[in-house]
Amino acid sequence: MLKGKVAIVTGASRGIGWAIALNLAKSGSNLILNYNHNESGAKELSRIIESMGVKSHLFQGDVSDFAQTEKMVAYTFKTFGRLDILINNAGINNDKLLIRMKEEDFDRVLSTNLKGTFNCIKHASKIMLKQRHGNIINISSVVGLVGNIGQSNYAASKAGIIGLTKSLAKELAPRGITVNAIAPGFIKTVMTEKLPDKIREKMLDDIPLKKFGEPEDVANLVDFLVSEKANYITGQVINVDGGMVM
């Protein structure tokens, strides 16, 4: 379905990013796998992808750094000569009640999650605009829609991604570029596994389907949104949350 296409997946070394990259590779896309710290995870993913007969290259870099994201996109174009898909998945959290949250706690989360998304789109869109086609998917969160105690920084960053998605969808649509956001709920990842059991039980009770999501649930939606079947969908925020937020 995506044979010959090229995708960048940020934060690809584990969890949702790993699942997204793997699905894109299964569909035939060549990949740039971005990671910041988890080199071993990125290398393992690259090995698996290469065994499928598609190409993958690693790019270590912090998406919050404007210059590093510019280099990543330039490297992608130099390597493959095109860029069709951008998945902005890289993200961090630093959960604290407001009274305990320091300025740097807020700034760091916003810089990675929101500014990082902007940085990648800023550079990638230059190639897509010339191609007159492209698919951009930003990974937000249901927390960006409804908020959560102790996550004001994270919620603000994910809400900002939603506003960014809708604005850029309008800007880029005339050149055939779609921009959509996915808002996962409670997905089983390393990040969510750190939550205390009481919080996990409370969240499970709030999910109508009474189960937590898997990274593949998000990856499957990405597959649809980057396919020709979704070429008339842009500017949307789609929840993958088991009915948690309706």
Side-chain angles (χ1 to χ4, degrees):
M1 183 174 64
L2 300 177
K3 186 176 181 180
K5 292 196 173 185
V6 175
I8 293 175
V9 180
T10 68
S13 63
R14 65 183 186 183
I16 292 173
W18 174 296
I20 290 172
L22 198 58
N23 262 18
L24 292 175
K26 289 177 181 177
S27 296
S29 177
N30 297 312
L31 285 141
I32 297 292
L33 305 174
N34 161 262
Y35 69 97
N36 194 13
H37 302 297
N38 187 12
E39 183 178 12
S40 61
K43 284 184 175 180
E44 174 64 12
L45 176 59
S46 181
R47 184 192 64 78
I48 295 171
I49 289 173
E50 290 279 344
S51 71
M52 298 177 181
V54 297
K55 297 178 181 178
S56 70
H57 293 262
L58 303 182
F59 192 94
Q60 191 277 333
D62 183 353
V63 296
S64 69
D65 188 306
F66 190 80
Q68 288 186 40
T69 55
E70 185 175 27
K71 288 179 181 179
M72 178 175 66
V73 172
Y75 174 75
T76 303
F77 190 75
K78 181 180 179 181
T79 303
F80 293 110
R82 61 188 296 161
L83 175 57
D84 305 284
I85 299 165
L86 171 64
I87 311 296
N88 287 305
N89 167 73
I92 62 171
N93 67 336
N94 191 350
D95 300 346
K96 295 177 184 177
L97 293 173
L98 179 63
I99 195 170
R100 296 173 183 166
M101 188 176 294
K102 298 178 181 178
E103 181 182 8
E104 53 264 34
D105 296 329
F106 188 88
D107 289 347
R108 183 165 171 262
V109 172
L110 268 289
S111 184
T112 298
N113 298 2
L114 180 54
K115 185 173 181 287
T117 299
F118 164 81
N119 288 344
C120 292
I121 296 175
K122 171 69 174 179
H123 300 304
S125 63
K126 294 177 182 178
I127 297 172
M128 293 180 176
L129 286 167
K130 291 180 181 178
Q131 295 174 164
R132 300 188 71 88
H133 74 84
N135 303 112
I136 299 171
I137 298 178
N138 303 320
I139 305 301
S140 180
S141 169
V142 294
V143 174
L145 295 168
V146 298
N148 196 30
I149 294 172
Q151 288 192 305
S152 58
N153 50 0
Y154 186 76
S157 71
K158 294 301 186 177
I161 286 174
I162 291 172
L164 183 68
T165 297
K166 291 180 175 292
S167 296
L168 295 183
K170 292 181 178 181
E171 286 188 27
L172 301 177
R175 290 296 185 98
I177 301 168
T178 63
V179 187
N180 291 291
I182 297 175
F186 194 105
I187 306 296
K188 294 178 184 176
T189 64
V190 173
M191 189 181 294
T192 56
E193 285 175 359
K194 296 177 182 178
L195 293 173
D197 289 340
K198 286 186 178 180
I199 294 179
R200 290 169 62 90
E201 291 170 5
K202 172 64 169 62
M203 295 184 77
L204 185 60
D205 193 51
D206 291 338
I207 299 172
L209 285 181
K210 299 304 176 188
K211 64 179 181 179
F212 298 135
E214 300 287 347
E216 290 74 20
D217 294 320
V218 179
N220 290 338
L221 177 56
V222 170
D223 269 6
F224 170 69
L225 290 174
V226 301
S227 74
E228 292 184 1
K229 294 179 180 179
N231 62 12
Y232 201 56
I233 299 173
T234 194
Q236 303 306 303
V237 182
I238 304 175
N239 294 5
V240 181
D241 64 356
M244 186 177 177
V245 175
M246 295 188 187

